[in-house]
Amino acid sequence: MMYQESADVATSLPTKSPLNSTVTLNGKNKTVEEMHGQWDSFKFAPIRESQVSRAMTRRYFKDLDTYAESDIVIVGAGSCGLSTAYMLAKARPDLKIAIIEASVSPGGGAWLGGQLFSAMVMRKPADAFLRELGVPYEEEGNYVVVKHAALFTSTVLSKVLQFPNVKLFNATAVEDLITRQNADGSLRIAGVVTNWTLVTMHHDDQSCMDPNTINAPIVISTTGHDGPFGAFCVKRLVSMQQLEKLGGMRGLDMNVAEDAIVKRTREVVPGLIVGGMELSEVDGANRMGPTFGAMALSGVKAAEEALKIFDERKAQNDRD
């Protein structure tokens, strides 16, 4: 078998360590408290370096195989994308949900508040999503404050990654969209084209490095406003002549912007739902700056929109 340990590797490791007492106590895993004061005799359980490599690669390649046909792909693991993933995975544990994140670290711009200040502001009624996650906050009338944005981001990220039907592929970029032509000649999005982010960044100075693909009946794009990887999917729609042009993000107006982003979260073309600040580029919406309620609730609505159309898009995908 591909991943089976070879006989010489397996037999070269001791079946019973003479230092088992440093690993277990009376056949049970040690607690941290039981390690206190025992550091002179401390020793990790033995391991061979190849075991570490195999433990990682066998799981990753199994995930690549499993999620090559996904039910939903979420592009971007910022506050909107993670909120979308949480709602979808909770509502439909039967769906395979792949999250593609270009950065090494998921979370987008939600690790800090504005101007690198730490607190996160959310206008009501987005506090409902904080209660859903169990994130504590301070009441401030029409808005609430999370003491550190990282508390929100780490909580939603942790909860998303604990769902057994979700796989995060970080350090991975979406380079293109998979398309299908319907019987009436219209175009439908049917998946994403992916590559390592470092490869994507060097297409101009290296020889051809072809990508990989993930098929899915629904893609949800939440990559944020224009930037190195921002608004990629909607910019690609323009080059594919599925959108005439982008509206371009307008100046900051919190009161107008947050309502607009949530209300306009939708399927922009068949098979592609857009949420979060990527919508500001499509619709010419205002930016909102350092307030995050629209990001969370746009994610909630994106999940709702996806579930409304999932069966129809899946049936179309299955006919391809």
Side-chain angles (χ1 to χ4, degrees):
M1 292 177 62
M2 182 177 179
Y3 299 123
Q4 187 175 7
E5 297 278 7
S6 62
D8 58 324
V9 170
T11 56
S12 66
L13 292 172
T15 56
K16 184 175 181 181
S17 169
L19 295 171
N20 270 351
S21 60
T22 67
V23 180
T24 61
L25 182 67
N26 297 326
K28 296 180 179 180
N29 290 334
K30 269 194 168 186
T31 65
V32 173
E33 288 74 14
E34 289 167 339
M35 296 181 191
H36 290 177
Q38 306 297 316
W39 303 114
D40 288 344
S41 60
F42 174 83
K43 188 174 179 64
F44 281 107
I47 198 167
R48 190 174 179 84
E49 289 78 4
S50 61
Q51 289 178 294
V52 176
S53 295
R54 284 169 170 160
M56 293 184 294
T57 56
R58 70 176 56 154
R59 286 166 174 80
Y60 198 87
F61 284 104
K62 180 181 178 182
D63 287 334
L64 284 176
D65 181 73
T66 299
Y67 287 88
E69 282 281 353
S70 291
D71 292 308
I72 296 178
V73 172
I74 298 172
V75 187
S79 49
C80 182
L82 291 173
S83 299
T84 305
Y86 173 83
M87 296 303 296
L88 282 172
K90 179 184 176 185
R92 291 288 301 271
D94 57 310
L95 299 182
K96 287 191 293 184
I97 302 166
I99 308 174
I100 311 298
E101 168 55 47
S103 177
V104 172
S105 56
W111 290 109
L112 288 165
Q115 200 170 314
L116 305 185
F117 302 147
S118 57
M120 172 179 274
V121 175
M122 280 199 180
R123 294 166 62 203
K124 293 181 177 179
D127 55 323
F129 192 65
L130 296 176
R131 290 192 296 276
E132 167 73 24
L133 296 175
V135 176
Y137 55 80
E138 299 172 42
E139 284 277 358
E140 292 282 357
N142 288 338
Y143 62 92
V144 300
V145 182
V146 179
K147 69 177 183 179
H148 201 299
L151 178 58
F152 166 79
T153 307
S154 60
T155 301
V156 67
L157 177 61
S158 173
K159 287 181 178 292
V160 165
L161 293 182
Q162 289 179 62
F163 285 112
N165 58 324
V166 175
K167 172 60 185 178
L168 168 68
F169 296 97
N170 52 324
T172 305
V174 170
E175 292 191 338
D176 207 345
L177 300 170
I178 298 173
T179 62
R180 295 286 186 268
Q181 195 167 36
N182 294 317
D184 62 1
S186 63
L187 206 65
R188 190 177 81 255
I189 306 304
V192 294
V193 179
T194 63
N195 217 325
W196 306 123
T197 301
L198 290 175
V199 171
T200 299
M201 294 170 66
H202 287 280
H203 281 314
D204 291 339
D205 55 45
Q206 296 293 325
S207 60
C208 180
M209 295 174 282
D210 279 332
N212 206 348
T213 58
I214 299 177
N215 286 98
I218 294 178
V219 174
I220 303 175
S221 191
T222 64
T223 64
H225 52 72
D226 198 5
F229 293 101
F232 172 80
C233 289
V234 296
K235 288 187 284 189
R236 189 70 181 96
L237 291 181
V238 174
S239 63
M240 290 192 298
Q241 299 181 336
Q242 296 305 296
L243 290 177
E244 182 180 353
K245 64 178 181 178
L246 297 182
M249 185 171 63
R250 302 294 197 263
L252 192 150
D253 186 333
M254 288 184 182
N255 288 295
V256 172
E258 289 208 279
D259 291 353
I261 293 300
V262 175
K263 288 179 179 179
R264 295 175 184 175
T265 298
R266 66 193 186 280
E267 187 181 40
V268 173
V269 298
L272 180 67
I273 293 170
V274 180
M277 288 308 295
E278 190 165 355
L279 277 168
S280 66
E281 300 291 350
V282 179
D283 296 332
N286 296 87
R287 67 184 299 178
M288 64 202 59
T291 176
F292 290 83
M295 297 298 94
L297 295 188
S298 178
V300 173
K301 190 182 179 196
E304 182 181 333
E305 294 297 309
L307 295 180
K308 283 180 186 177
I309 61 173
F310 176 74
D311 290 337
E312 179 184 355
R313 296 289 173 253
K314 187 176 189 306
Q316 291 173 313
N317 230 41
D318 290 345
R319 289 196 295 268
D320 291 337

mmCIF file with all atom_site columns, all heavy atoms in Angstrom, residues 6 14 38 40-42 75 103 108 124 140 145 149 164 166 179 189 233 241 256 289 293 297 301 303:
data_model
loop_
_atom_site.group_PDB
_atom_site.id
_atom_site.type_symbol
_atom_site.label_atom_id
_atom_site.label_alt_id
_atom_site.label_comp_id
_atom_site.label_asym_id
_atom_site.label_entity_id
_atom_site.label_seq_id
_atom_site.pdbx_PDB_ins_code
_atom_site.Cartn_x
_atom_site.Cartn_y
_atom_site.Cartn_z
_atom_site.occupancy
_atom_site.B_iso_or_equiv
_atom_site.pdbx_formal_charge
_atom_site.auth_seq_id
_atom_site.auth_comp_id
_atom_site.auth_asym_id
_atom_site.auth_atom_id
_atom_site.pdbx_PDB_model_num
ATOM 1   N N   . SER A 1 6   ? 7.185   0.546  5.834   1.00 0.00 ? 6   SER A N   1
ATOM 2   C CA  . SER A 1 6   ? 7.939   -0.630 5.402   1.00 0.00 ? 6   SER A CA  1
ATOM 3   C C   . SER A 1 6   ? 8.339   -1.463 6.606   1.00 0.00 ? 6   SER A C   1
ATOM 4   O O   . SER A 1 6   ? 8.432   -0.969 7.724   1.00 0.00 ? 6   SER A O   1
ATOM 5   C CB  . SER A 1 6   ? 9.186   -0.189 4.629   1.00 0.00 ? 6   SER A CB  1
ATOM 6   O OG  . SER A 1 6   ? 10.027  0.579  5.467   1.00 0.00 ? 6   SER A OG  1
ATOM 7   N N   . PRO A 1 14  ? 11.488  0.518  18.737  1.00 0.00 ? 14  PRO A N   1
ATOM 8   C CA  . PRO A 1 14  ? 11.142  -0.352 19.864  1.00 0.00 ? 14  PRO A CA  1
ATOM 9   C C   . PRO A 1 14  ? 9.639   -0.427 20.046  1.00 0.00 ? 14  PRO A C   1
ATOM 10  O O   . PRO A 1 14  ? 8.939   0.563  19.889  1.00 0.00 ? 14  PRO A O   1
ATOM 11  C CB  . PRO A 1 14  ? 11.807  0.331  21.063  1.00 0.00 ? 14  PRO A CB  1
ATOM 12  C CG  . PRO A 1 14  ? 11.976  1.764  20.646  1.00 0.00 ? 14  PRO A CG  1
ATOM 13  C CD  . PRO A 1 14  ? 12.196  1.729  19.179  1.00 0.00 ? 14  PRO A CD  1
ATOM 14  N N   . GLN A 1 38  ? 9.094   16.810 37.110  1.00 0.00 ? 38  GLN A N   1
ATOM 15  C CA  . GLN A 1 38  ? 9.672   15.575 36.559  1.00 0.00 ? 38  GLN A CA  1
ATOM 16  C C   . GLN A 1 38  ? 10.567  15.841 35.359  1.00 0.00 ? 38  GLN A C   1
ATOM 17  O O   . GLN A 1 38  ? 10.855  14.937 34.587  1.00 0.00 ? 38  GLN A O   1
ATOM 18  C CB  . GLN A 1 38  ? 8.530   14.628 36.130  1.00 0.00 ? 38  GLN A CB  1
ATOM 19  C CG  . GLN A 1 38  ? 7.509   14.330 37.200  1.00 0.00 ? 38  GLN A CG  1
ATOM 20  C CD  . GLN A 1 38  ? 8.116   13.607 38.389  1.00 0.00 ? 38  GLN A CD  1
ATOM 21  O OE1 . GLN A 1 38  ? 8.904   12.669 38.217  1.00 0.00 ? 38  GLN A OE1 1
ATOM 22  N NE2 . GLN A 1 38  ? 7.776   14.039 39.591  1.00 0.00 ? 38  GLN A NE2 1
ATOM 23  N N   . ASP A 1 40  ? 13.764  16.425 34.877  1.00 0.00 ? 40  ASP A N   1
ATOM 24  C CA  . ASP A 1 40  ? 15.084  15.788 34.751  1.00 0.00 ? 40  ASP A CA  1
ATOM 25  C C   . ASP A 1 40  ? 14.983  14.439 34.044  1.00 0.00 ? 40  ASP A C   1
ATOM 26  O O   . ASP A 1 40  ? 15.905  14.033 33.329  1.00 0.00 ? 40  ASP A O   1
ATOM 27  C CB  . ASP A 1 40  ? 15.729  15.603 36.134  1.00 0.00 ? 40  ASP A CB  1
ATOM 28  C CG  . ASP A 1 40  ? 16.200  16.920 36.729  1.00 0.00 ? 40  ASP A CG  1
ATOM 29  O OD1 . ASP A 1 40  ? 16.300  17.904 35.961  1.00 0.00 ? 40  ASP A OD1 1
ATOM 30  O OD2 . ASP A 1 40  ? 16.439  16.977 37.946  1.00 0.00 ? 40  ASP A OD2 1
ATOM 31  N N   . SER A 1 41  ? 13.861  13.755 34.223  1.00 0.00 ? 41  SER A N   1
ATOM 32  C CA  . SER A 1 41  ? 13.686  12.437 33.595  1.00 0.00 ? 41  SER A CA  1
ATOM 33  C C   . SER A 1 41  ? 12.786  12.513 32.365  1.00 0.00 ? 41  SER A C   1
ATOM 34  O O   . SER A 1 41  ? 12.432  11.486 31.786  1.00 0.00 ? 41  SER A O   1
ATOM 35  C CB  . SER A 1 41  ? 13.086  11.446 34.605  1.00 0.00 ? 41  SER A CB  1
ATOM 36  O OG  . SER A 1 41  ? 11.820  11.907 35.051  1.00 0.00 ? 41  SER A OG  1
ATOM 37  N N   . PHE A 1 42  ? 12.436  13.739 31.959  1.00 0.00 ? 42  PHE A N   1
ATOM 38  C CA  . PHE A 1 42  ? 11.494  13.910 30.843  1.00 0.00 ? 42  PHE A CA  1
ATOM 39  C C   . PHE A 1 42  ? 12.080  13.418 29.531  1.00 0.00 ? 42  PHE A C   1
ATOM 40  O O   . PHE A 1 42  ? 13.250  13.629 29.242  1.00 0.00 ? 42  PHE A O   1
ATOM 41  C CB  . PHE A 1 42  ? 11.123  15.387 30.705  1.00 0.00 ? 42  PHE A CB  1
ATOM 42  C CG  . PHE A 1 42  ? 10.278  15.679 29.500  1.00 0.00 ? 42  PHE A CG  1
ATOM 43  C CD1 . PHE A 1 42  ? 8.914   15.493 29.542  1.00 0.00 ? 42  PHE A CD1 1
ATOM 44  C CD2 . PHE A 1 42  ? 10.858  16.107 28.310  1.00 0.00 ? 42  PHE A CD2 1
ATOM 45  C CE1 . PHE A 1 42  ? 8.126   15.747 28.429  1.00 0.00 ? 42  PHE A CE1 1
ATOM 46  C CE2 . PHE A 1 42  ? 10.084  16.361 27.192  1.00 0.00 ? 42  PHE A CE2 1
ATOM 47  C CZ  . PHE A 1 42  ? 8.707   16.174 27.259  1.00 0.00 ? 42  PHE A CZ  1
ATOM 48  N N   . VAL A 1 75  ? -14.154 30.744 -1.156  1.00 0.00 ? 75  VAL A N   1
ATOM 49  C CA  . VAL A 1 75  ? -12.881 31.373 -1.501  1.00 0.00 ? 75  VAL A CA  1
ATOM 50  C C   . VAL A 1 75  ? -12.650 32.531 -0.537  1.00 0.00 ? 75  VAL A C   1
ATOM 51  O O   . VAL A 1 75  ? -13.385 33.512 -0.545  1.00 0.00 ? 75  VAL A O   1
ATOM 52  C CB  . VAL A 1 75  ? -12.892 31.898 -2.960  1.00 0.00 ? 75  VAL A CB  1
ATOM 53  C CG1 . VAL A 1 75  ? -11.491 32.391 -3.344  1.00 0.00 ? 75  VAL A CG1 1
ATOM 54  C CG2 . VAL A 1 75  ? -13.366 30.819 -3.918  1.00 0.00 ? 75  VAL A CG2 1
ATOM 55  N N   . SER A 1 103 ? -3.569  33.121 1.987   1.00 0.00 ? 103 SER A N   1
ATOM 56  C CA  . SER A 1 103 ? -2.553  33.396 3.007   1.00 0.00 ? 103 SER A CA  1
ATOM 57  C C   . SER A 1 103 ? -2.219  32.140 3.813   1.00 0.00 ? 103 SER A C   1
ATOM 58  O O   . SER A 1 103 ? -3.008  31.193 3.863   1.00 0.00 ? 103 SER A O   1
ATOM 59  C CB  . SER A 1 103 ? -3.037  34.498 3.954   1.00 0.00 ? 103 SER A CB  1
ATOM 60  O OG  . SER A 1 103 ? -2.100  34.732 4.980   1.00 0.00 ? 103 SER A OG  1
ATOM 61  N N   . GLY A 1 108 ? -7.999  36.831 7.405   1.00 0.00 ? 108 GLY A N   1
ATOM 62  C CA  . GLY A 1 108 ? -8.039  38.093 6.669   1.00 0.00 ? 108 GLY A CA  1
ATOM 63  C C   . GLY A 1 108 ? -7.671  39.278 7.544   1.00 0.00 ? 108 GLY A C   1
ATOM 64  O O   . GLY A 1 108 ? -6.707  39.226 8.314   1.00 0.00 ? 108 GLY A O   1
ATOM 65  N N   . LYS A 1 124 ? -25.167 46.336 16.233  1.00 0.00 ? 124 LYS A N   1
ATOM 66  C CA  . LYS A 1 124 ? -26.308 45.444 16.394  1.00 0.00 ? 124 LYS A CA  1
ATOM 67  C C   . LYS A 1 124 ? -27.131 45.441 15.101  1.00 0.00 ? 124 LYS A C   1
ATOM 68  O O   . LYS A 1 124 ? -27.175 46.446 14.399  1.00 0.00 ? 124 LYS A O   1
ATOM 69  C CB  . LYS A 1 124 ? -27.162 45.909 17.565  1.00 0.00 ? 124 LYS A CB  1
ATOM 70  C CG  . LYS A 1 124 ? -26.444 45.755 18.907  1.00 0.00 ? 124 LYS A CG  1
ATOM 71  C CD  . LYS A 1 124 ? -27.323 46.213 20.058  1.00 0.00 ? 124 LYS A CD  1
ATOM 72  C CE  . LYS A 1 124 ? -26.609 45.973 21.386  1.00 0.00 ? 124 LYS A CE  1
ATOM 73  N NZ  . LYS A 1 124 ? -27.415 46.420 22.533  1.00 0.00 ? 124 LYS A NZ  1
ATOM 74  N N   . GLU A 1 140 ? -22.449 48.627 24.263  1.00 0.00 ? 140 GLU A N   1
ATOM 75  C CA  . GLU A 1 140 ? -22.225 50.061 24.065  1.00 0.00 ? 140 GLU A CA  1
ATOM 76  C C   . GLU A 1 140 ? -23.417 50.689 23.336  1.00 0.00 ? 140 GLU A C   1
ATOM 77  O O   . GLU A 1 140 ? -23.252 51.450 22.378  1.00 0.00 ? 140 GLU A O   1
ATOM 78  C CB  . GLU A 1 140 ? -20.931 50.299 23.264  1.00 0.00 ? 140 GLU A CB  1
ATOM 79  C CG  . GLU A 1 140 ? -19.652 49.937 23.993  1.00 0.00 ? 140 GLU A CG  1
ATOM 80  C CD  . GLU A 1 140 ? -19.227 50.982 25.023  1.00 0.00 ? 140 GLU A CD  1
ATOM 81  O OE1 . GLU A 1 140 ? -19.912 52.028 25.122  1.00 0.00 ? 140 GLU A OE1 1
ATOM 82  O OE2 . GLU A 1 140 ? -18.229 50.741 25.717  1.00 0.00 ? 140 GLU A OE2 1
ATOM 83  N N   . VAL A 1 145 ? -18.605 45.654 21.689  1.00 0.00 ? 145 VAL A N   1
ATOM 84  C CA  . VAL A 1 145 ? -17.159 45.645 21.485  1.00 0.00 ? 145 VAL A CA  1
ATOM 85  C C   . VAL A 1 145 ? -16.583 44.340 22.024  1.00 0.00 ? 145 VAL A C   1
ATOM 86  O O   . VAL A 1 145 ? -16.793 44.005 23.203  1.00 0.00 ? 145 VAL A O   1
ATOM 87  C CB  . VAL A 1 145 ? -16.469 46.841 22.174  1.00 0.00 ? 145 VAL A CB  1
ATOM 88  C CG1 . VAL A 1 145 ? -14.969 46.820 21.900  1.00 0.00 ? 145 VAL A CG1 1
ATOM 89  C CG2 . VAL A 1 145 ? -17.086 48.162 21.704  1.00 0.00 ? 145 VAL A CG2 1
ATOM 90  N N   . ALA A 1 149 ? -10.080 41.688 18.574  1.00 0.00 ? 149 ALA A N   1
ATOM 91  C CA  . ALA A 1 149 ? -10.615 41.075 17.356  1.00 0.00 ? 149 ALA A CA  1
ATOM 92  C C   . ALA A 1 149 ? -10.162 39.632 17.218  1.00 0.00 ? 149 ALA A C   1
ATOM 93  O O   . ALA A 1 149 ? -10.896 38.786 16.684  1.00 0.00 ? 149 ALA A O   1
ATOM 94  C CB  . ALA A 1 149 ? -10.183 41.891 16.142  1.00 0.00 ? 149 ALA A CB  1
ATOM 95  N N   . PRO A 1 164 ? -16.318 18.098 10.990  1.00 0.00 ? 164 PRO A N   1
ATOM 96  C CA  . PRO A 1 164 ? -15.681 17.026 10.214  1.00 0.00 ? 164 PRO A CA  1
ATOM 97  C C   . PRO A 1 164 ? -15.890 17.154 8.707   1.00 0.00 ? 164 PRO A C   1
ATOM 98  O O   . PRO A 1 164 ? -15.196 16.486 7.937   1.00 0.00 ? 164 PRO A O   1
ATOM 99  C CB  . PRO A 1 164 ? -16.359 15.758 10.760  1.00 0.00 ? 164 PRO A CB  1
ATOM 100 C CG  . PRO A 1 164 ? -17.671 16.219 11.309  1.00 0.00 ? 164 PRO A CG  1
ATOM 101 C CD  . PRO A 1 164 ? -17.430 17.600 11.834  1.00 0.00 ? 164 PRO A CD  1
ATOM 102 N N   . VAL A 1 166 ? -15.547 19.967 6.911   1.00 0.00 ? 166 VAL A N   1
ATOM 103 C CA  . VAL A 1 166 ? -14.876 21.164 6.405   1.00 0.00 ? 166 VAL A CA  1
ATOM 104 C C   . VAL A 1 166 ? -13.378 20.905 6.281   1.00 0.00 ? 166 VAL A C   1
ATOM 105 O O   . VAL A 1 166 ? -12.761 20.341 7.193   1.00 0.00 ? 166 VAL A O   1
ATOM 106 C CB  . VAL A 1 166 ? -15.099 22.373 7.339   1.00 0.00 ? 166 VAL A CB  1
ATOM 107 C CG1 . VAL A 1 166 ? -14.297 23.580 6.860   1.00 0.00 ? 166 VAL A CG1 1
ATOM 108 C CG2 . VAL A 1 166 ? -16.578 22.730 7.408   1.00 0.00 ? 166 VAL A CG2 1
ATOM 109 N N   . THR A 1 179 ? -15.934 26.661 -15.596 1.00 0.00 ? 179 THR A N   1
ATOM 110 C CA  . THR A 1 179 ? -17.217 27.087 -16.154 1.00 0.00 ? 179 THR A CA  1
ATOM 111 C C   . THR A 1 179 ? -17.882 25.967 -16.939 1.00 0.00 ? 179 THR A C   1
ATOM 112 O O   . THR A 1 179 ? -17.215 25.068 -17.452 1.00 0.00 ? 179 THR A O   1
ATOM 113 C CB  . THR A 1 179 ? -17.048 28.312 -17.075 1.00 0.00 ? 179 THR A CB  1
ATOM 114 O OG1 . THR A 1 179 ? -16.196 27.952 -18.176 1.00 0.00 ? 179 THR A OG1 1
ATOM 115 C CG2 . THR A 1 179 ? -16.445 29.487 -16.327 1.00 0.00 ? 179 THR A CG2 1
ATOM 116 N N   . ILE A 1 189 ? -20.872 28.730 -13.097 1.00 0.00 ? 189 ILE A N   1
ATOM 117 C CA  . ILE A 1 189 ? -19.616 28.424 -12.401 1.00 0.00 ? 189 ILE A CA  1
ATOM 118 C C   . ILE A 1 189 ? -19.738 27.051 -11.769 1.00 0.00 ? 189 ILE A C   1
ATOM 119 O O   . ILE A 1 189 ? -20.730 26.750 -11.099 1.00 0.00 ? 189 ILE A O   1
ATOM 120 C CB  . ILE A 1 189 ? -19.297 29.495 -11.332 1.00 0.00 ? 189 ILE A CB  1
ATOM 121 C CG1 . ILE A 1 189 ? -19.302 30.895 -11.963 1.00 0.00 ? 189 ILE A CG1 1
ATOM 122 C CG2 . ILE A 1 189 ? -17.962 29.192 -10.670 1.00 0.00 ? 189 ILE A CG2 1
ATOM 123 C CD1 . ILE A 1 189 ? -18.360 31.061 -13.132 1.00 0.00 ? 189 ILE A CD1 1
ATOM 124 N N   . CYS A 1 233 ? -12.471 36.744 -8.007  1.00 0.00 ? 233 CYS A N   1
ATOM 125 C CA  . CYS A 1 233 ? -13.523 36.057 -8.767  1.00 0.00 ? 233 CYS A CA  1
ATOM 126 C C   . CYS A 1 233 ? -14.363 37.032 -9.572  1.00 0.00 ? 233 CYS A C   1
ATOM 127 O O   . CYS A 1 233 ? -14.702 36.753 -10.725 1.00 0.00 ? 233 CYS A O   1
ATOM 128 C CB  . CYS A 1 233 ? -14.403 35.249 -7.818  1.00 0.00 ? 233 CYS A CB  1
ATOM 129 S SG  . CYS A 1 233 ? -13.573 33.793 -7.136  1.00 0.00 ? 233 CYS A SG  1
ATOM 130 N N   . GLN A 1 241 ? -16.558 38.291 -19.522 1.00 0.00 ? 241 GLN A N   1
ATOM 131 C CA  . GLN A 1 241 ? -17.721 39.000 -20.074 1.00 0.00 ? 241 GLN A CA  1
ATOM 132 C C   . GLN A 1 241 ? -19.035 38.527 -19.466 1.00 0.00 ? 241 GLN A C   1
ATOM 133 O O   . GLN A 1 241 ? -20.091 38.544 -20.109 1.00 0.00 ? 241 GLN A O   1
ATOM 134 C CB  . GLN A 1 241 ? -17.755 38.879 -21.605 1.00 0.00 ? 241 GLN A CB  1
ATOM 135 C CG  . GLN A 1 241 ? -16.528 39.477 -22.283 1.00 0.00 ? 241 GLN A CG  1
ATOM 136 C CD  . GLN A 1 241 ? -16.575 39.384 -23.797 1.00 0.00 ? 241 GLN A CD  1
ATOM 137 O OE1 . GLN A 1 241 ? -17.251 38.541 -24.358 1.00 0.00 ? 241 GLN A OE1 1
ATOM 138 N NE2 . GLN A 1 241 ? -15.854 40.278 -24.451 1.00 0.00 ? 241 GLN A NE2 1
ATOM 139 N N   . VAL A 1 256 ? -24.415 53.404 5.512   1.00 0.00 ? 256 VAL A N   1
ATOM 140 C CA  . VAL A 1 256 ? -24.872 52.926 4.204   1.00 0.00 ? 256 VAL A CA  1
ATOM 141 C C   . VAL A 1 256 ? -24.227 51.595 3.850   1.00 0.00 ? 256 VAL A C   1
ATOM 142 O O   . VAL A 1 256 ? -24.880 50.660 3.364   1.00 0.00 ? 256 VAL A O   1
ATOM 143 C CB  . VAL A 1 256 ? -24.568 53.981 3.112   1.00 0.00 ? 256 VAL A CB  1
ATOM 144 C CG1 . VAL A 1 256 ? -24.866 53.420 1.725   1.00 0.00 ? 256 VAL A CG1 1
ATOM 145 C CG2 . VAL A 1 256 ? -25.382 55.246 3.365   1.00 0.00 ? 256 VAL A CG2 1
ATOM 146 N N   . GLY A 1 289 ? -15.004 50.437 6.753   1.00 0.00 ? 289 GLY A N   1
ATOM 147 C CA  . GLY A 1 289 ? -13.948 50.650 7.729   1.00 0.00 ? 289 GLY A CA  1
ATOM 148 C C   . GLY A 1 289 ? -14.004 49.649 8.870   1.00 0.00 ? 289 GLY A C   1
ATOM 149 O O   . GLY A 1 289 ? -14.474 48.523 8.711   1.00 0.00 ? 289 GLY A O   1
ATOM 150 N N   . GLY A 1 293 ? -19.746 43.947 11.706  1.00 0.00 ? 293 GLY A N   1
ATOM 151 C CA  . GLY A 1 293 ? -21.040 43.279 11.735  1.00 0.00 ? 293 GLY A CA  1
ATOM 152 C C   . GLY A 1 293 ? -21.489 42.789 10.376  1.00 0.00 ? 293 GLY A C   1
ATOM 153 O O   . GLY A 1 293 ? -22.043 41.690 10.240  1.00 0.00 ? 293 GLY A O   1
ATOM 154 N N   . LEU A 1 297 ? -22.680 38.956 9.212   1.00 0.00 ? 297 LEU A N   1
ATOM 155 C CA  . LEU A 1 297 ? -24.046 38.715 8.742   1.00 0.00 ? 297 LEU A CA  1
ATOM 156 C C   . LEU A 1 297 ? -24.113 38.493 7.235   1.00 0.00 ? 297 LEU A C   1
ATOM 157 O O   . LEU A 1 297 ? -25.026 37.816 6.746   1.00 0.00 ? 297 LEU A O   1
ATOM 158 C CB  . LEU A 1 297 ? -24.955 39.860 9.173   1.00 0.00 ? 297 LEU A CB  1
ATOM 159 C CG  . LEU A 1 297 ? -25.143 39.981 10.691  1.00 0.00 ? 297 LEU A CG  1
ATOM 160 C CD1 . LEU A 1 297 ? -26.211 41.006 11.016  1.00 0.00 ? 297 LEU A CD1 1
ATOM 161 C CD2 . LEU A 1 297 ? -25.474 38.636 11.340  1.00 0.00 ? 297 LEU A CD2 1
ATOM 162 N N   . LYS A 1 301 ? -25.938 35.296 5.590   1.00 0.00 ? 301 LYS A N   1
ATOM 163 C CA  . LYS A 1 301 ? -26.836 35.343 4.431   1.00 0.00 ? 301 LYS A CA  1
ATOM 164 C C   . LYS A 1 301 ? -26.281 34.525 3.270   1.00 0.00 ? 301 LYS A C   1
ATOM 165 O O   . LYS A 1 301 ? -27.041 33.872 2.546   1.00 0.00 ? 301 LYS A O   1
ATOM 166 C CB  . LYS A 1 301 ? -27.079 36.781 3.989   1.00 0.00 ? 301 LYS A CB  1
ATOM 167 C CG  . LYS A 1 301 ? -28.195 36.854 2.946   1.00 0.00 ? 301 LYS A CG  1
ATOM 168 C CD  . LYS A 1 301 ? -28.458 38.230 2.417   1.00 0.00 ? 301 LYS A CD  1
ATOM 169 C CE  . LYS A 1 301 ? -29.576 38.171 1.373   1.00 0.00 ? 301 LYS A CE  1
ATOM 170 N NZ  . LYS A 1 301 ? -29.637 39.396 0.556   1.00 0.00 ? 301 LYS A NZ  1
ATOM 171 N N   . ALA A 1 303 ? -24.605 31.808 3.392   1.00 0.00 ? 303 ALA A N   1
ATOM 172 C CA  . ALA A 1 303 ? -24.934 30.409 3.663   1.00 0.00 ? 303 ALA A CA  1
ATOM 173 C C   . ALA A 1 303 ? -26.400 30.138 3.349   1.00 0.00 ? 303 ALA A C   1
ATOM 174 O O   . ALA A 1 303 ? -26.749 29.102 2.753   1.00 0.00 ? 303 ALA A O   1
ATOM 175 C CB  . ALA A 1 303 ? -24.630 30.080 5.123   1.00 0.00 ? 303 ALA A CB  1
#
